[in-house]
């Protein structure tokens, strides 16, 4: 135990403020279950890794071995370190123990959670055995893993030094960094509020009394006997709300509230009332509450209807139970191929991702980008089948930096998806359910829940979610988000990280990224695979002169990466109802029995259909734009007819169909429409041909070009008049950010709220939608002086924040204001969210600014736009089930080139797809046909 004693002084005691990574390796998805060695947690940094990556940044990596030969005293200090090894093994429970648990009494549930005290507990057939040991590791290049075990002692051991024991115990007691997002321990921490309508609730004395016999309860509208809610004012019994997937109740209780003038908002769920009155499900339909509530005088209100709570028994599941049940059992009956007997597939490129709770939008996008449909990204971030996932160049960062390094975390996920290391084994000959005995272990059966839930096969993209979303107001939450918006944000974050990596390498091949064709050339950027530019052809209606504008060319923005198409419902046709029902069966998310019942009720409903060509034509059709200023008309305004065309055709084209529109109440609603999408499309006719013979081209003024409001550019022209403050306030009252509202109003002339709302709905997914807008005059002055507008900070605001916050320096506040566009509230949030390592965060911002200044040979930040023939083949799609993009469920379908078959990725469930829901998808991934089979080798 000499080595352990020598290194004992390095051990630290983990506090509640320390981040402890003990559930998985920060570089890979190896966890304590994966191998007999489990993972090791550094007793000084609390970072968990596998043995081979315990000294990751110091390990020699092929082409840069010379970088490891220099003498660095700090590096020498890390030649040896002390760790806690954690190894877990899942073993079947004894049958007698399992039987005893089944015979036990019902556990009272007081909290929405799985595997937590007071929450729900799964009927696990397995128990976990855990072994701990204290181990000293050292670097040793002679070993295959690059690491050698110097000493290892089983824990606990009475001879271990006290500070080692204290460090180990602090790690074991610590909840761990993963707990808050773990799908087995999610909780709703918010207490239900007391309804303000409870006291003084109006009671309608209509003689209605409620029978204590549940057999007598039924919805007074539909006659249904499940999911019944009692209105505490009128005594009306109605069905509960319909869910996003069509399940749930008959909506009778809510309809009654609306039909009675919204006067009686409080309801209680029948069957949940017991002598423990606080456990009853109560809900308020009032617009200012609209959620679960507590009603302190519930027993008194129920007594008025003849209900004695002391005699009532629980006969129905609570909403907590139903919500957890939905999350816990959501499987193939809730995906777009409901009812189909899908054959599971596993292996490299066929790896599922664990749902962290409302993270299917992340899973579907990640699968589309990194599971093989885009070979260039697999080459850069992933690995070959069953390849080495531990020594990827993008993992070459110190273990303490790995959790917050975007490139590292993307490589971690991409390697897991494509290596097959974590895949569920599928035996060549599976036993049929008839042949299977009760004694058989289903651990290797991919269809069994126990196999799919085995920790050694699970890939939770928790660290990726954190590093991508930590600075985003929406993606840092546990709520469902728009997959298209996340896709664009992810591409931009990757682009920024790749620029920083290029800057760190000096633009050459000495870093973690390099051009694999010629290391001396610039590093190709991921965004360039999807980037396209559009050109607008404007025709002046006064004299038919023509002007060509390259959109997003001189604004310093990222290029467009997603082609967002409006669905022209005016071109829709009604198809045969039988065909519609037949096709719609592939997109329903309801269980089979309920789906069939719903189909019977909707036999007469017709389904409108449009084609992808209709959507493209609508995008390309000429449209009038008013108040365009023309230089040849002495800068006077005139209407222009504008049409948009492609300047280039990227290697991959992502198309988003706008399946949601604003309803009369300004809330998004889903379009009930099918879109006919062929597996191959030809966009060649939409290429911009440039000036043609016979066109009278407007000669651009040397001072300024024509200014127009472009539907393809979210940056509005400079304000030419006073912004209508009332219109701005009205838009902001609807919940949109000020910068986005200003953009919308400027785009439509300054005051038309309805046009502005349409613009917002069309552009709210754009990455710069809510970016700050600098003052136009100040921006112009700074531009003339060659200054960067982002460097202008209000010093009065700096002083105010320093004084009011009390714990930050002026330089720190100034850096936060620069990052947040001068917004004081956002700057304060940014400062507090980075308090753990503020100086590092500010240093990162500075390096980002250096990277953003340009990494080309000429110091520019220009994109190299690929081009080719405009013929594309469909290779992937993301479908959405739900009322709007921020609820419901996302599923990915990919067509792998090797198998020529469609595969469905529904979180952890991966299977061959029988009928991909092409007419109902939300995002489509097309690959240019002339690039299929010839990936760009520079990646």
């Amino acid at each position: 135990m000499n080595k352990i004693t020598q290194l004992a002084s390095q051990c630290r005691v983990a506090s509640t403020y320390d981040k402890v990574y003990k559930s998985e390796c920060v570089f890979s998805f190896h966890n304590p279950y994966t191998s007999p060695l489990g993972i090791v947690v550094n007793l000084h940094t609390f970072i968990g890794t596998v043995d081979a990556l315990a000294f990751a940044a110091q390990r020699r990596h092929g082409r840069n071995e010379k970088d490891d030969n220099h003498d660095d005293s700090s590096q020498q200090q890390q030649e040896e370190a002390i760790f806690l090894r954690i190894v877990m093994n899942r073993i079947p429970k004894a049958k007698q123990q399992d039987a005893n648990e089944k015979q036990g009494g019902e556990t009272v549930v007081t909290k929405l959670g799985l595997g937590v005290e007071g929450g729900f507990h799964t009927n696990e057939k397995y128990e976990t055995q855990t072994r701990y040991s204290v181990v000293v590791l050292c670097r040793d290049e002679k070993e295959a893993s690059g690491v050698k075990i110097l000493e290892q002692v089983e824990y606990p051991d009475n001879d271990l030094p006290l500070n080692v024991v204290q460090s180990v115990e602090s790690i074991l007691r610590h909840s761990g960094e993963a707990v808050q997002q773990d799908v087995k321990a999610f909780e709703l921490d918010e207490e239900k509020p007391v309804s303000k309508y409870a006291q003084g609730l109006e009671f309608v004395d209509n003689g209605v009394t409620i029978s204590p016999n549940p057999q007598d309860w039924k919805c007074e509208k539909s006659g249904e006997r499940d999911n019944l809610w009692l209105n505490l004012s009128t005594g009306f019994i109605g069905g509960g709300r319909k869910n996003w997937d069509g399940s749930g109740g008959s909506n009778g209780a809510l309809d009654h509230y609306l039909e009675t003038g919204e006067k009686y908002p409080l309801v209680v769920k029948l069957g949940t009332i017991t002598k423990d009155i606080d456990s009853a499900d109560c809900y308020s339909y009032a617009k200012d509450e609209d959620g679960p509530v507590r009603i302190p005088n519930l027993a008194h209100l129920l007594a008025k209807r003849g209900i004695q709570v002391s005699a009532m028994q629980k006969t129905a599941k609570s909403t907590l139970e139903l919500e957890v049940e939905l999350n816990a059992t959501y499987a193939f009956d809730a995906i777009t191929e409901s009812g189909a007997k899908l054959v599971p597939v596993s292996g490299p490129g066929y790896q599922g991702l664990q749902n962290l709770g409302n993270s299917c939008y992340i899973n579907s996008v990640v699968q589309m980008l990194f599971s093989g449909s885009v070979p260039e990204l697999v080459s850069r971030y992933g690995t070959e089948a069953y390849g080495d996932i531990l020594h990827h160049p993008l993992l070459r960062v110190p273990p303490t930096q790995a959790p917050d390094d975007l490139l590292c975390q993307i490589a971690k996920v991409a390697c897991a998806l494509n290596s097959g290391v974590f895949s569920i084994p599928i035996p060549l000959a599976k036993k049929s359910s008839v042949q299977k005995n009760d004694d058989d272990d289903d651990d290797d059966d991919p269809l069994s829940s126990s196999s799919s839930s085995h920790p050694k096969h699970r890939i939770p993209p928790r660290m990726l979610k954190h590093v991508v979303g930590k600075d985003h107001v929406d993606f840092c939450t546990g709520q469902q988000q728009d997959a298209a918006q996340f896709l664009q944000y992810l591409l931009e974050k990757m682009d920024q990280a790749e620029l920083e990596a290029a800057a760190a390498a000096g633009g050459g091949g000495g870093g973690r990224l390099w051009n694999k064709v010629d290391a001396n050339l610039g590093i190709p950027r991921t965004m360039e695979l999807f980037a396209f530019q559009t050109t607008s052809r404007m025709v002046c209606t006064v004299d038919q002169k023509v002007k060509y504008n390259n959109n997003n060319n001189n604004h310093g923005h990222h290029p467009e990466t997603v082609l967002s198409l409006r669905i022209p419902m005016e071109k829709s046709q009604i198809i045969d109802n039988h065909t519609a029902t037949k096709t719609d069966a592939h997109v329903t998310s309801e269980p089979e029995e309920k789906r069939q019942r719903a189909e019977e009720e909707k036999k007469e409903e017709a389904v409108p259909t449009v084609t992808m060509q209709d959507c493209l034509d609508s995008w390309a059709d000429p449209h009038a734009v008013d108040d365009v200023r023309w230089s040849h008309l002495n800068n006077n305004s005139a209407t222009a007819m504008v049409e948009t065309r492609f300047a280039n055709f990227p290697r991959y084209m992502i198309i988003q169909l706008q399946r949601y529109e604003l309803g009369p109440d300004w809330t998004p609603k889903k379009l009930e429409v099918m879109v006919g999408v062929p597996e191959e499309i030809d966009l060649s006719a939409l290429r911009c041909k440039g000036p043609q013979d016979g066109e009278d081209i407007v000669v651009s003024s040397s001072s300024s070009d024509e200014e127009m409001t472009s539907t393809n550019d979210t940056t509005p022209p400079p304000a030419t008049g006073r912004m209508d403050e009332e219109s701005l306030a009205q838009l902001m009252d609807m919940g949109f950010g000020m910068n986005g509202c200003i953009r919308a109003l400027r785009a439509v002339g300054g005051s038309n709220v309805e046009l502005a709302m349409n613009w917002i709905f069309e552009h709210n997914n754009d990455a710069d939608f809510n970016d700050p807008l600098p003052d136009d005059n100040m921006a112009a002055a700074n531009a003339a002086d060659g200054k960067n507008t982002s460097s202008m900070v209000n010093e009065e605001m700096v002083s105010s924040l320093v004084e009011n916050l009390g714990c930050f320096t002026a330089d720190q506040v100034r850096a936060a204001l620069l990052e947040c566009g001068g917004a004081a509230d956002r700057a304060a949030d940014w400062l507090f969210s980075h308090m753990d390592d503020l100086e590092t965060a500010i240093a990162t911002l500075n390096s980002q600014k250096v990277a953003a200044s340009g990494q080309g040979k000429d110091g520019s930040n220009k994109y190299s736009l690929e081009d080719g023939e405009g013929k594309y083949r469909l290779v992937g799609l993301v479908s959405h089930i739900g009322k709007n993009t921020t609820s419901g469920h996302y599923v990915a379908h990919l067509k792998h080139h090797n198998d020529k078959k469609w595969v469905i990725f529904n979180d952890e469930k991966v299977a061959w797809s029988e009928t991909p829901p092409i007419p109902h998808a939300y995002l489509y991934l097309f690959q240019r046909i002339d690039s299929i089979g010839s990936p760009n080798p520079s990646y």
Side-chain angles (χ1 to χ4, degrees), residues 536-595:
S536 295
R537 179 180 181 270
M538 300 185 293
V539 180
C540 179
T541 56
V542 173
D543 53 15
Q544 303 303 305
K545 286 195 173 184
V546 178
K547 167 70 178 177
Y548 288 89
N549 267 359
N550 288 329
N551 303 321
N552 296 97
N553 191 35
N554 298 310
H555 299 298
H557 291 162
H558 291 291
E560 294 183 74
T561 53
V562 176
L563 179 62
S564 185
L565 300 181
R566 182 182 72 89
I567 298 178
M569 294 300 293
E570 66 275 8
K571 297 182 180 180
S572 64
Q573 298 179 349
I574 304 300
I575 67 173
D576 177 73
N577 182 70
H578 175 70
T579 305
T581 303
K582 194 172 180 180
T583 308
D584 196 55
H586 300 304
V587 296
T588 179
S589 62
E590 301 176 74
E592 184 70 16
E593 183 178 344
K594 186 169 288 186
R595 179 181 64 78

Side-chain angles (χ1 to χ4, degrees), residues 202-259:
E202 184 175 348
F203 181 81
V204 179
D205 191 4
N206 52 13
V208 174
T209 59
I210 306 301
S211 168
N213 184 2
Q215 299 298 322
D216 297 332
W217 302 338
K218 64 180 180 180
C219 176
E220 296 181 35
K221 280 184 170 288
S222 66
E224 291 190 4
R225 296 183 177 275
D226 296 325
N227 193 10
L228 300 175
W229 294 76
L230 170 68
N231 190 292
L232 293 172
S233 295
T234 65
F236 180 90
I237 297 177
R241 287 189 178 190
K242 289 182 180 178
N243 294 327
W244 57 264
D245 62 350
S247 62
S250 63
N251 226 52
L254 177 58
D255 290 342
H256 174 72
Y257 165 70
L258 298 174
E259 291 166 0

Side-chain angles (χ1 to χ4, degrees), residues 662-843:
L662 289 177
D665 57 352
W666 300 100
T667 59
K669 68 175 184 178
K670 192 169 187 177
L671 296 175
E672 297 297 333
V673 61
M674 295 195 300
V675 180
V677 181
E679 295 221 10
E680 293 187 4
I681 59 174
D682 189 352
L683 305 180
S684 302
L686 298 180
R687 181 187 288 276
C688 178
K689 299 177 181 178
Q692 301 294 301
D693 292 340
E695 288 183 339
D696 191 357
I697 304 297
V698 175
V699 179
S700 298
S701 170
S702 59
S703 59
S704 64
D705 291 339
E706 277 66 35
E707 295 180 1
M708 64 166 286
T709 301
S710 170
T711 58
N712 298 300
D713 188 356
T714 59
T715 301
T720 57
R722 181 178 177 274
M723 180 72 64
D724 186 86
E725 299 294 338
E726 184 177 344
S727 299
L728 178 61
Q730 188 173 346
L731 288 173
M732 292 180 65
D733 286 343
M734 297 175 188
F736 300 105
M738 182 177 68
N739 293 326
C741 295
I742 293 175
R743 274 187 165 81
L745 285 170
R746 286 187 178 183
V748 300
S751 61
N752 191 314
V753 174
E754 184 173 355
L755 289 178
M757 281 299 300
N758 290 333
W759 190 95
I760 286 174
F761 189 71
E762 204 171 306
H763 292 279
N764 64 72
N765 289 332
D766 295 338
D768 61 350
F769 177 73
N770 277 313
D771 285 357
L773 286 158
D775 178 77
D776 299 306
N777 296 328
M778 182 66 73
N782 290 331
D785 294 337
K787 296 179 181 178
N788 186 345
T789 57
S790 66
S791 65
M792 305 302 293
V793 175
N794 187 325
E795 290 300 326
E796 292 183 4
M797 188 177 296
V798 172
S799 301
S800 176
L801 284 176
V802 170
E803 181 179 353
N804 292 326
L805 298 179
C807 54
F808 302 105
T809 67
D811 288 339
Q812 291 170 340
V813 170
R814 194 174 290 110
L817 286 169
L818 284 173
E819 171 67 6
C820 301
D825 54 346
R826 291 173 55 200
D829 289 341
W830 188 91
L831 286 166
F832 283 113
S833 65
H834 293 82
M835 281 189 68
D836 289 344
D837 198 356
L838 188 56
E839 294 306 320
T840 300
I842 292 175

